[in-house]
């Protein structure tokens, strides 16, 4: 059974189903041009405009498609077109006069037609034929650092041409959806989205973490054996640190490699960790240029090289970032020129922000916090979708898009700034245009859009303190001071460490690492040392919760906060004692802000599904973002990623 869809006023609508025997000429035409990623991305094939061979063939197909849009004078997307083929003897054959006695076949056909019409009348509740066709393309858009409350606080200024109003009005909105691991950073968040697993399993415990074996801090996507294509001098990058498979990895397995899986973002970790180890490609920005890793391929696809050479990423040089709307339409949280803001060098704290010259080193940082970088990412995503021919055949494809500039903007200016507000309005418009581009590319074929985020954000602590929220900047003081307190407590129980100044090896990412190979910490003493450190931590006024590795290994069934810490704890990678700061106690000095706590301002993000067969509505039940993975898998008829830890979201898969 196949169903056709047409977009009416921007919404999906089932218009009918055809018989299994009916051939779909437009689909056959598309299949005929599929040649796999290697042929389509071969750089030699691109001319100076970035166009490739096969355009003539596409043009022929287009003509064929035009021809099939009307058959026998009946528009293809009309229910009558479907009826015409499903019941040709009844509807088409000329019968000037009914015979006195109808044949049995005729009666059966008439009864079937009546039942079918009845079904249509009560669709979708009663008609099994209304089951939606599976999406051919899944587009997951993660807006980096995008708390759910932005959809509400800024809603009055969203544009009818943007995406957010359309999603909120017509999509399936999970309004109480949270990241459920404690340390809500970009790496763990993006890894959880499409593995459905937590740092405890996927191993991405932070953006960077201290590696005891090498005594070095490693990046979540660093890999010395996978150089960046086009910049051998830069450190290598790959998904090898990701320990759990993604939705995309399973798609590659189940489709014998025919499904295409791509990621594109400003940040490497967003593009890589959403797509996984088996992806066809992940692309990110490095020095204002699109790059990839030799892990995926030895060259950059022609369509991205063309963008690099076009200089589009430098087109803001010397220009301004002005407010999109009248100043009076913005929330008035504080003066634009606020001392709590920490803009990139030379960008200023108030509107309009002026970009440096193209050859100025300051330009890259300024461009990356601006909405124009999002426009550039979405342009790259659009080209990728078109040139890789995503969604064009029966094998479902996956495109993961990471809008990282929202995060950089939020860190610099804080969530109550004019900059974040303006960035959100512009992101809305850009995503609206992007969705229209995907609609045009898919040309009526079903596709699924998922909008979400890797984490939220805390307000700048000085601004929050000014609003009497009990906030505190730099809440633990200097690491040396905290370490001195821990050392003093351990010294009361253990002799001086052997060959070292302290039993504390590292304090990083809300974790204390102990020198556990010290003779004095052998056996039960190691557990005792962890407990001593934990007790020192919970005595600090800014610490909300602290737990030892033993606490966390046994944490299932305990409080939500302990469970979130347990999900954040990886037995080989994490420290010995983990802790959580009090709400609004933020690790910044005076300016800017950050995220990384299990409090709602950091965990609460949108999760919205939009596409054929997805019922519109709002679900207020508390859910976890990691449920995205098994839910998308279910929607595309694939097994869920093996380590995924959450239930499928029932409302989204009810079809
Ligand atoms: Zn992030």
């Amino acid at each position: 059974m196949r169903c056709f869809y047409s977009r009416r006023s921007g919404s999906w609508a089932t218009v009918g189903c055809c018989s299994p025997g009916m051939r779909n000429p437009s689909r056959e035409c598309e299949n005929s041009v599929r040649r796999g990623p290697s042929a389509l991305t071969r750089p030699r094939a691109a001319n100076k405009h970035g166009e490739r061979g096969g355009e003539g063939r596409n043009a022929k197909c287009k003509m064929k498609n035009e021809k099939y849009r009307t058959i026998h004078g009946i528009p293809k997307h009309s229910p009558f077109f479907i009826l015409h083929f499903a019941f040709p003897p009844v509807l088409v054959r000329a019968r000037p006069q009914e015979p006195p006695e109808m044949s049995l076949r005729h009666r059966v056909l008439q009864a079937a037609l009546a039942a079918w019409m009845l079904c249509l009348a009560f669709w979708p509740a009663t008609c099994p034929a209304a089951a939606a066709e599976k999406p051919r393309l899944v587009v997951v858009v993660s807006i980096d650092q995008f708390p759910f409350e932005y959809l509400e606080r800024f809603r009055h200024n969203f544009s009818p041409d943007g995406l957010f109003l359309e999603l909120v009005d017509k999509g399936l909105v999970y309004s109480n959806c949270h990241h459920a691991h404690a340390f809500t950073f970009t790496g763990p968040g993006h890894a959880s989205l499409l593995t459905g697993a937590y740092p405890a399993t996927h191993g991405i415990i932070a953006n960077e973490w201290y590696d005891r074996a090498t005594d070095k801090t490693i990046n979540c996507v660093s890999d010395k054996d996978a150089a960046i294509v086009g910049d051998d001098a830069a450190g290598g990058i790959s998904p090898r640190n990701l320990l759990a498979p993604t939705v995309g990895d399973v798609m590659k397995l189940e489709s014998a490699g025919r499904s295409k899986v791509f990621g594109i973002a400003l940040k490497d970790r967003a593009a890589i960790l959403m797509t996984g180890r088996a992806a066809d490609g992940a692309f990110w920005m490095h020095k204002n240029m699109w790059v990839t890793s030799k892990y995926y391929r030895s060259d950059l696809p022609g369509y991205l090289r063309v963008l690099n050479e076009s200089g589009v990423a430098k087109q803001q040089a010397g220009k301004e970032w002005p407010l999109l709307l009248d100043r009076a339409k913005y929330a008035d949280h504080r003066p634009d020129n606020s001392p709590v803001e920490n803009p990139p060098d030379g960008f200023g704290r108030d509107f309009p922000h002026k970009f440096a010259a193209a050859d100025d080193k300051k330009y890259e940082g300024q461009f990356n916090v601006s909405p124009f970088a999002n426009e550039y990412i979405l342009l790259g995503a659009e080209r990728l979708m078109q040139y890789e021919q995503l969604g064009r055949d029966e094998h479902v494809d996956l495109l993961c898009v990471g809008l990282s500039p929202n995060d950089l903007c939020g860190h610099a200016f804080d969530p109550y700034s004019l900059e974040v507000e303006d960035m959100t309005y512009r992101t809305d418009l850009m995503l609206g245009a992007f969705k229209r581009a995907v609609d045009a590319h898919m040309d009526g074929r079903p596709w699924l859009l998922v909008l979400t985020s890797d984490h939220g954000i805390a307000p700048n602590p000085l601004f929050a303190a000014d609003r009497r929220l009990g906030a505190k900047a730099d809440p633990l003081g200097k690491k040396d001071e905290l370490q001195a307190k821990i050392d003093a407590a351990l010294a009361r129980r253990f002799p001086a460490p052997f060959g070292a100044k302290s039993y504390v090896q590292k304090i990083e990412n809300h974790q204390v690492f102990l020198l556990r190979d010290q003779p004095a910490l052998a056996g039960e003493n190691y557990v005792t040392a962890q407990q001593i450190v934990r007790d020192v931590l919970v005595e600090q006024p800014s610490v909300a919760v602290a737990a030892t590795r033993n606490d966390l290994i046994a944490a299932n069934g305990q409080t939500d906060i302990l469970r979130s810490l347990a999900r954040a704890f990886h037995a080989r990678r994490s420290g010995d004692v983990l802790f959580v700061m009090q709400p609004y106690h933020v690790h910044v000095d005076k300016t800017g802000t950050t995220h990384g706590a299990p409090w709602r301002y950091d965990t609460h993000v949108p999760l919205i599904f939009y596409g054929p067969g997805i019922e519109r509505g709002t679900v207020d039940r508390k859910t976890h973002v990691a449920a995205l993975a098994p839910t998308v898998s279910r929607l595309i008829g694939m097994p869920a990623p093996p380590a995924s830890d959450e239930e499928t979201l029932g409302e989204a898969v009810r079809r």
Side-chain angles (χ1 to χ4, degrees):
M1 183 67 71
R2 287 171 175 168
C3 298
F4 293 100
Y5 295 89
S6 72
R7 268 187 75 237
R8 293 179 186 152
S9 321
S11 65
W12 294 94
T14 303
V15 295
C17 299
C18 66
S19 65
M22 180 183 159
R23 297 173 71 83
N24 181 339
S26 87
R27 194 172 309 175
E28 285 167 9
C29 193
E30 287 141 18
N31 290 346
S32 74
V33 300
R34 185 183 181 105
R35 290 291 181 273
S38 58
L40 288 166
T41 56
R42 197 174 297 137
R44 282 194 305 277
N47 64 19
K48 66 178 179 174
H49 303 296
E51 293 162 347
R52 305 182 170 282
E55 296 296 323
R57 192 165 50 221
N58 281 336
K60 273 186 201 163
C61 288
K62 202 172 174 187
M63 286 171 62
K64 258 184 165 179
N65 289 343
E66 292 297 334
K67 178 182 165 193
Y68 281 104
R69 284 208 175 99
T70 62
I71 297 179
H72 299 190
I74 302 168
K76 179 181 160 190
H77 282 177
S78 154
F80 296 107
F81 171 83
I82 310 301
L83 288 169
H84 174 90
F85 280 88
F87 304 100
V90 178
L91 296 174
V92 177
R93 191 183 300 164
R95 286 181 180 273
Q97 194 175 3
E98 280 296 313
E101 295 218 353
M102 286 192 293
S103 70
L104 179 62
R105 177 169 171 260
H106 197 169
R107 282 171 191 275
V108 169
L109 283 169
Q110 276 204 334
L113 174 62
W116 196 82
M117 299 290 274
L118 203 63
C119 268
L120 271 187
F122 290 98
W123 183 88
T126 59
C127 180
E133 191 180 6
K134 283 175 194 159
R136 311 278 194 84
L137 172 65
V138 178
V139 179
V140 177
V141 176
S142 167
I143 308 177
D144 201 314
Q145 190 189 116
F146 196 79
F148 183 85
E149 62 110 2
Y150 286 0
L151 289 179
E152 294 176 326
R153 181 151 59 98
F154 301 139
R155 179 174 178 149
H156 60 290
N157 277 334
F158 290 153
S159 165
D161 294 329
L163 179 66
F164 296 151
L165 280 182
E166 185 177 350
L167 286 190
V168 169
D169 291 344
K170 297 176 182 169
L172 177 61
V173 180
Y174 285 88
S175 64
N176 195 13
C177 189
H178 296 260
H179 281 281
H181 48 274
F183 304 138
T184 44
F185 302 116
T186 299
H190 280 113
S192 288
L193 288 179
L194 283 138
T195 61
Y198 291 104
T201 314
H202 64 55
I204 305 299
I205 58 172
N207 293 335
E208 300 97 27
W209 61 83
Y210 176 68
D211 179 37
R212 281 175 151 138
T214 57
D215 193 26
K216 284 184 180 151
T217 293
I218 58 172
N219 184 282
C220 60
V221 288
S222 64
D223 179 356
K224 63 180 173 44
D225 297 325
I228 290 179
V229 172
D231 190 349
D232 286 337
I237 299 284
S238 90
R240 285 199 179 99
N241 291 331
L242 181 64
L243 302 179
T246 60
V247 169
D249 290 340
V250 175
M251 288 167 66
K252 297 297 287 185
L253 175 71
E254 295 292 316
S255 68
R258 294 187 184 93
S259 285
K260 296 171 187 169
V261 176
F262 285 96
I264 187 163
L266 187 146
K267 289 183 189 172
D268 48 12
R269 52 183 173 265
I272 289 170
L273 297 174
M274 281 197 282
T275 46
R277 288 178 168 227
D280 295 284
F283 308 103
W284 61 94
M285 289 178 68
H286 174 70
K287 299 178 183 171
N288 286 139
M289 306 285 266
W290 287 115
V291 295
T292 186
S293 159
K294 288 185 179 170
Y295 174 88
Y296 302 103
R297 50 189 297 148
S298 58
D299 59 354
L300 195 66
Y303 52 89
L304 291 182
R305 276 196 290 118
V306 166
L307 280 185
N308 282 347
E309 288 158 14
S310 72
V312 176
K314 293 284 179 87
Q315 70 182 5
Q316 289 305 119
K319 295 183 183 169
E320 290 183 341
W321 169 14
L323 285 175
L324 179 72
L325 309 173
D326 290 343
R327 176 70 178 83
K329 291 190 170 177
Y330 289 73
D332 203 12
H333 291 294
R334 61 174 187 237
D336 186 14
N337 189 357
S338 164
V340 306
E341 296 181 358
N342 182 27
D345 201 11
F347 211 36
R349 295 195 298 222
D350 49 347
F351 278 96
H353 295 278
K354 182 119 196 280
F355 291 93
D359 56 355
D360 191 324
K361 280 187 178 168
K362 296 186 196 116
Y363 178 82
E364 183 186 1
Q366 297 172 352
F367 182 70
N368 287 351
V369 303
S370 80
F372 308 104
N374 272 344
E375 198 166 33
Y376 191 59
I377 294 163
L378 291 169
L379 176 64
E382 199 179 316
R383 294 285 169 90
L384 191 164
M385 171 184 71
Q386 290 162 349
Y387 283 92
E388 301 291 356
Q389 304 257 311
L390 299 188
R392 285 293 172 91
D393 63 18
E394 70 273 25
H395 303 289
V396 59
D397 299 329
L398 174 65
L399 174 62
C400 299
V401 182
L403 298 185
S404 321
N406 299 64
D407 179 71
L408 302 174
C409 180
H411 278 289
F413 295 100
D414 130 311
Y416 296 93
S417 63
L418 275 183
E419 285 78 5
V420 162
E421 187 173 357
D422 192 77
M423 183 86 169
T424 305
Y425 298 145
R426 289 176 182 270
T427 304
D428 176 40
L429 281 174
M430 290 167 188
L431 281 173
F434 176 68
K435 179 184 173 286
R436 287 190 288 278
V438 183
D439 278 335
H441 171 78
M442 294 302 287
D443 193 22
R445 290 179 295 275
W447 67 284
L448 173 70
L449 173 62
V450 183
L451 181 89
T452 188
S453 177
D454 57 334
H455 52 75
I457 185 68
N460 168 274
L462 296 189
F463 171 72
D466 190 51
R467 295 296 185 274
R468 301 176 140 198
L469 289 171
K472 192 170 183 191
D474 201 12
L476 279 179
K478 291 180 181 161
K479 277 184 194 170
D480 293 354
E481 293 169 14
L482 177 63
Q483 184 167 333
K485 289 176 190 169
I486 294 171
D487 282 340
L490 289 170
R492 287 195 284 276
R493 173 68 175 75
F494 299 109
F498 180 75
K501 288 182 183 167
S502 169
Y503 284 109
V504 176
Q505 193 173 15
K506 195 86 174 173
I507 301 177
E508 192 174 74
N509 286 327
H510 304 102
Q511 300 174 49
V512 179
F513 293 78
L514 292 173
L515 275 172
R516 58 187 175 190
D517 53 358
Q518 283 280 322
L521 298 191
E524 281 300 307
N525 284 351
Y526 178 39
V527 177
T528 306
Q530 292 170 38
Q531 290 165 345
I532 290 171
V533 175
R534 178 192 62 194
D535 294 346
V536 171
L537 283 165
V538 294
E539 284 168 15
Q540 309 307 308
S542 285
V543 171
V545 177
T548 68
R549 56 182 290 123
N550 285 36
D551 296 334
L552 296 172
I553 286 168
N556 273 341
Q558 298 186 29
T559 62
D560 257 8
I561 198 91
L562 264 188
R563 277 197 296 272
S564 78
L565 266 176
R567 292 186 189 105
F569 172 78
H570 189 273
R572 285 191 303 283
R573 290 181 174 174
S574 294
D576 298 302
V577 182
L578 282 65
F579 57 96
V580 171
M581 307 302 295
Q582 295 283 10
Y584 303 116
H585 288 219
V586 181
H587 294 289
V588 294
D589 182 6
K590 290 188 176 65
T591 61
T593 185
T594 194
H595 46 83
W599 307 121
R600 293 178 80 102
Y601 52 71
D602 275 348
T603 63
H604 190 186
V605 296
L607 179 59
I608 304 176
F609 296 87
Y610 185 43
I614 305 285
E615 291 177 23
R616 71 173 67 177
T618 300
V619 179
D620 292 327
R621 169 171 49 85
K622 187 174 181 186
T623 48
H624 292 161
V625 191
L628 184 160
T631 304
V632 167
S633 297
R634 180 81 183 88
L635 285 168
I636 61 177
M638 296 271 179
S644 60
D645 204 26
E646 295 287 340
E647 298 285 328
T648 302
L649 294 167
E651 302 84 357
V653 300
R654 194 184 300 141
R655 295 156 77 84

